[in-house]
Every structure is written in structure tokens, then in C-alpha cells.
Amino acid sequence: MSLWNNSIDEFCGGASRASFEGFRPMEDLNSVVRERLEKAAELERQNVALYPNGYQVPDRIKQLLANSLGKKAEELEADETAYTIAGRVLSVRSFGKSTFMHLCDSDSKIQVYLQKNQIGEDGYALAKRIDIGDIIRVGGPLFRTKTDELTLLVKDFTLLTKNLRPLPEKFHGLKDIELRYRQRYVDLMINEQVRETFRKRARIISTMRRFFAERDFLEVETPMMHAIAGGATAKPFKTHHNALDMDLYLRIAPELYLKRLLVGGFERVFELNRNFRNEGVSTQHNPEFTMVEFYQAHATYEDLMGLTEELFGLLCREVNEGKTSLEYQGDVIDLSAPWARYTFLESLSAIGNVPREALESLEGAVGYARSLGIGMERFEGHGKLLTKIFDLVVEPRLVQPTFIYQYPLEVSPLSRKTEGAPEFVDRFELFIAGREMANAFSELNDPRDQRERFERQIAAFQAGDEEAHQMDEDYIRALEYGMPPAAGEGIGIDRLVMLLTDSPSIRDVILFPHMRPEKKGL
RNA sequence: GGGCCGUUAACUCAGAAGGUAGAGUAUCUGCCUUUUAAGCAGAGAGUCGCCGGUUCGAAUCCAGCACGGCCCA
């Protein structure tokens, strides 16, 4: 007992003070951490740097694997070329005078072999002090073991970073969902498929940027902090600007700013960034989430259907080995164009089996909604009620990609009215795997109509609808200058990544999902 | 906000009916120069989420709270 106490003392405040100025032991010191601390102190006493830098690492494991693909043992044996790689030690199999380790760098893993007669008595003694979780640099030629595994025969090695906390169990990995999200760094270290998910996320986003760039869309950045939270129906987060002494809202959507850019003359714009909505957290919702919104002048929502089919097909092939179909949570989903299209009302009757009287009158809808257990607020009209019915009886059944178009005017305050059907708008939503994936419409560019819509929203707000739009006078003014006819669309990136990576929860595709703070001391 | 479930060693998990906690991995010691969930022998490691209550006695039963998960609104 007193042995490790003394050693920790030395490590934290005694002999090693110079190199550990300010270092304090963690509160949850367990026996393994104590032993690591002691081992680290011992290494420092032997003048082994625990956190050196400046070492060159010319080779990547991925390259070594690629270059050696198909090379026979004899072929490798004959090649004396030494390679130098660095990575985290993930496993150790140690014998009396030799040791195997697996080393992992950012995208690949390779076995390395340390032998006493290669690195000498002192070198091997130091090698024995390497722990799982340490980051090391090794150099030497490649060979194949008896079991034909490509392995680097270590001629020299350097400790680059000492690990002080044991890694999770090698076989089961880190399973505890809470720990995986709170300590994503450990999750990423241990669970290769998690790293792969986030690599795919990056690829999806960069492919999307390229897709829009190729079509002459300009990427822009509009404000995250809004004086009026507009562009969607959602509750915003409120914040305060001290110097200006004014309340601001984190944006719920960039829409109204992007359309101001159409007015300004940028005819194709997109923004791919975060939105914030002050609502519940679930497998589908994170308070901050990523959206791409894009606007194209002289296009209609029907044009965007084709563009969306093209984009989703491309993204799917990009992360899914060139295939245009994928499996999501057991369902095979075919993203090949063209996708099914139903008007909103058609879908209610054809897919949701909603009776005609519910579609034709508010009274009919109220009665039917009640039979489904759907409540109704005073400020809600027929259109709003039908969307609630839709969410319950149609949306979950839209597993294969489906466009639902011609939405009720009441729930679409920024969309152009459908010609000849003024209670409906030129808008579609895309559903895949029972979830809304995109929302698009031909943009309302008549300032008189837009003002009326805002006024209806304000009436709804006054009647108690907290999510209703506020009046945005500057946006009306912009429309008065003239916004070209245009169509715009928003796609939820997180849900898209969930779909393309077969992830059941939005938290699986967000690196650091929102969590309540942990109360326990670290 | 409501319902159900979970929280035990650093990790993955056992602990019917109340009697002061176990395994595997990891760690430490010894043996071991082609292993790969290496092996063999031994050892250490726990505020059983927190706080109350019932009881001679609580990881276990009860109430509350915290955090998390799933479902619902």
C-alpha cells in the first residue's frame, strides 16, 4: 500500500515535479490508474520522455497494407526496406523474449513484433513497459508470420504518448451507451465501426458540397443569431447580446436569409450548417442539428424532386460500394429514381385509409382525429389537423422513398400557392424509412401574399401557437425589391447520415450529442 | 411531461426467495521468441448511482432523487 502512495507522491509533487507541474491525480484513482502513474514516474526517472514531440512519422499503416497486398512471405523477407509508423497500442501478446502488439493509426491496424535480439536487452525491457493505450512509433521491415499476417519487425521504437487510463475490454469493447457518448474519444478509439460512421458522414458532406458546386451553387454563411427566429415552425433558443443589450435567437432555419440572397442576385445558393431548436431530445432529435438548405432561381419544386433523386442516389453510391439500394434497420430501401409521388390528400386516403369526410371538412377531420386519439388546439385548422393525421397514419408507412406534394396552405407560410387550388401550396416533403428527410417548395415571392401569411401566423401566435412565425418586415421589404421565381429545399443531414449508415439513433451520427452534465466527479 | 427498463471492480456482465459480493477481460508477479479473445500458475482491485426508510441484518424490499435507454405525448 505505502509503496504506491509514495510513488504517486513523487509522481505528482516530488521528484517529477518539474515535468508534471500542475498535475493532479484524478479523483477516481483505481488500482490500474495508480499502477500506470507509478509506471510513468518510473519511466521518467529512467529519463524516458512520456510526451515527446517532433518525431517524424513518414509512413501510414494503410499504405503498408496496400503495398503488401498479395506479396508472399519470401518476397517480403527479401525486401529490407524499413518503414516508420506510429499508432495506439490496442493489444499486447507478450512472451519471455518477444512481444506482439496491434497498432492502430487513424484508419488502419497492423501487427508489430518486438524481439529481444532485435532491440537489445534495454530496449526490450522498455518494450515490456509499454501499455495498451500508449501511442508509440516503430520502425522496421515487414514480414509475414506463420499465420500469414503482415507484421512489422521492430528494429527501433519510441514511446510518443503515455496512457494513464486503461482501455475498455478488448472483446466486448465499450458498450455503455452513456459512456460512449460522454467519452466519445474512447468510443472512437475502440469501436472501428463508429469511426467508419463518422468517416462516411464526412464523405456524405463533402460529396454534397461537390454536387452543389458542380451545379454552380454558391456556398454561403448566414447569421446563426437572429433577432427574429424565422424560416420554420419551431421553438428557438434565446440568448442575449450584452453590448447591444438585446435578445437574440439561435436560428431555427437559414431560409429567410438565403432568400434575401436570391433578391440580391445570387441565383443559386446553399448553406450547410447547424440549426437549433428548443425541443425534446429523442432518437430523431438533437437540439442542434445539421441541415443543408439550397435555393435555385427559375426552378420549381418539381425540378427539385429530380435533383433530390439524383443527389440521394449519388450519396448512397458514394458510401455504399456503388449500390443505389441500402439496408436500413432490416428494411431494404431502393433509392433508384423515379420515386413514388402522391399528393398530400391522395396519400391520406390511399396509404392512410383516411375516410373522405375527414378530408373534405374540418368537422369530419375533427371526428376522425378524435377516433385516433389526436387532440386539437383552438388555433389549429383543417390543414394542421390533417398533417397531424398524416404523421400518425401515413408517415410511418413511407418506407421506400416517397414524395408527398401539395401541402395545406395553413402549414406552409412561405410557399407559393398552387395555381387553381389556393388552399394548397407547391411544396413537397420526402419520406424514407418512415421519416421526413427533406422539405421543399416553390418560393412565395409575392410580397402582398407573404404579408398576409405572416399576419395569419401572428393571429395563430396570439391564439396560443408558440411556434407560429413572427412578422419579418425586412424580409417583406426584400420581396418588394423582387425575388426571382425560385424553389428551395432543406435536407436534414443527420437523418440522411442515419439512413446511409444504418444507424438507429441520431446520437450515433453526431460526434458529441447533447447530454445532461454528469454530476459525479470525474 | 407520462409509462416501462437500467445503474454492481477500469471494461463486459453474473448475483431466485434479505445473511457484509463473483466471473471474464484489463492490471501486477512468475514462466514462456510466430502470438492474435495466446497459454499456464499466483495476486491485488468494489461507497453495489445517491439519499432516506423497513429490518437484528439491505446490492437485494419500499419511497424520493440523479443520470441513461426505449416507447408515448
Side-chain angles (χ1 to χ4, degrees), chain A residues 301 343-345 404-408 418 421 424-428:
Chain A
Y301 77 117
T343 68
F344 180 71
L345 289 182
I404 303 295
Y405 64 102
Q406 282 188 9
Y407 271 71
T418 302
F424 291 90
V425 293
D426 284 351
R427 169 183 174 194
F428 74 77

Side-chain angles (χ1 to χ4, degrees), chain A residues 154-363:
Chain A
V154 176
K155 299 281 190 183
D156 67 276
F157 76 98
T158 313
L159 172 65
L160 293 183
T161 303
K162 189 82 199 88
N163 164 290
L164 300 176
R165 287 178 180 256
L167 263 42
E169 205 225 12
K170 63 183 169 191
F171 191 58
H172 298 94
L174 185 65
K175 282 253 176 65
D176 186 301
I177 292 180
E178 187 174 349
L179 273 184
R180 286 187 43 224
Y181 296 152
R182 287 197 196 280
Q183 299 183 36
R184 183 68 94 180
Y185 38 90
V186 181
D187 190 28
L188 289 165
M189 216 180 276
I190 288 296
N191 296 323
E192 162 57 28
Q193 79 281 7
V194 174
R195 254 179 298 164
E196 183 57 19
T197 294
F198 288 104
R199 274 188 220 114
K200 283 184 175 174
R201 180 177 175 120
R203 217 150 68 227
I204 288 164
I205 288 172
S206 61
T207 302
M208 195 176 265
R209 285 204 155 94
R210 199 174 67 236
F211 177 88
F212 286 115
E214 281 167 0
R215 283 159 184 76
D216 209 23
F217 283 80
L218 183 72
E219 181 165 10
V220 297
E221 292 164 277
T222 65
M224 291 276 174
M225 295 191 293
H226 291 182
I228 298 167
T233 51
K235 289 182 198 128
F237 285 94
K238 195 175 182 179
T239 185
H240 187 79
H241 191 297
N242 291 338
L244 300 180
D245 189 25
M246 67 182 290
D247 287 337
L248 286 167
Y249 300 93
L250 299 187
R251 75 177 186 194
I252 55 175
E255 171 155 352
L256 299 183
Y257 283 95
L258 291 171
K259 289 198 285 198
R260 284 172 168 96
L261 297 177
L262 292 176
V263 173
F266 289 134
E267 293 190 343
R268 295 183 181 200
V269 293
F270 76 100
E271 178 161 13
L272 201 168
N273 218 318
R274 226 68 66 81
N275 290 336
F276 307 84
R277 296 188 182 173
N278 203 343
E279 291 164 3
V281 174
S282 78
T283 51
Q284 313 292 317
H285 301 87
N286 196 61
E288 53 180 301
F289 62 100
T290 305
M291 284 259 287
V292 63
E293 281 200 17
F294 55 97
Y295 292 82
Q296 180 177 348
H298 314 300
T300 67
Y301 77 117
E302 286 171 307
D303 297 322
L304 296 189
M305 289 187 189
L307 193 75
T308 305
E309 288 170 338
E310 216 180 316
L311 173 61
F312 275 55
L314 173 72
L315 295 174
C316 182
R317 288 190 295 278
E318 181 67 30
V319 296
N320 228 337
E321 296 149 355
K323 289 180 294 190
T324 312
S325 68
L326 56 87
E327 196 173 316
Y328 185 73
Q329 303 294 298
D331 288 320
V332 174
I333 291 173
D334 183 3
L335 293 176
S336 316
W339 298 339
R341 299 180 184 195
Y342 295 88
T343 68
F344 180 71
L345 289 182
E346 276 167 11
S347 75
L348 283 168
S349 53
I351 297 168
N353 297 314
V354 175
R356 177 178 295 203
E357 61 269 22
L359 305 182
E360 287 175 348
S361 73
L362 176 61
E363 295 70 37

Side-chain angles (χ1 to χ4, degrees), chain A residues 41-65:
Chain A
E42 179 60 29
L43 287 170
E44 281 211 317
R45 279 194 291 273
Q46 293 166 11
N47 291 320
V48 176
L50 303 182
Y51 305 103
N53 75 356
Y55 283 94
Q56 298 291 308
V57 180
D59 299 305
R60 304 291 299 272
I61 294 174
K62 185 162 68 176
Q63 291 173 302
L64 267 50
L65 298 179

Side-chain angles (χ1 to χ4, degrees), chain A residues 345-407:
Chain A
L345 289 182
E346 276 167 11
S347 75
L348 283 168
S349 53
I351 297 168
N353 297 314
V354 175
R356 177 178 295 203
E357 61 269 22
L359 305 182
E360 287 175 348
S361 73
L362 176 61
E363 295 70 37
V366 170
Y368 185 66
R370 195 169 291 142
S371 77
L372 295 174
I374 298 173
M376 191 186 178
E377 305 284 351
R378 273 167 304 136
F379 50 81
E380 291 174 343
H382 192 202
K384 174 68 183 175
L385 200 52
L386 289 178
T387 62
K388 283 183 160 185
I389 294 169
F390 177 92
D391 289 349
L392 199 66
V393 303
V394 181
E395 179 169 328
R397 303 175 69 173
L398 301 177
V399 175
Q400 296 303 319
T402 307
F403 290 117
I404 303 295
Y405 64 102
Q406 282 188 9
Y407 271 71

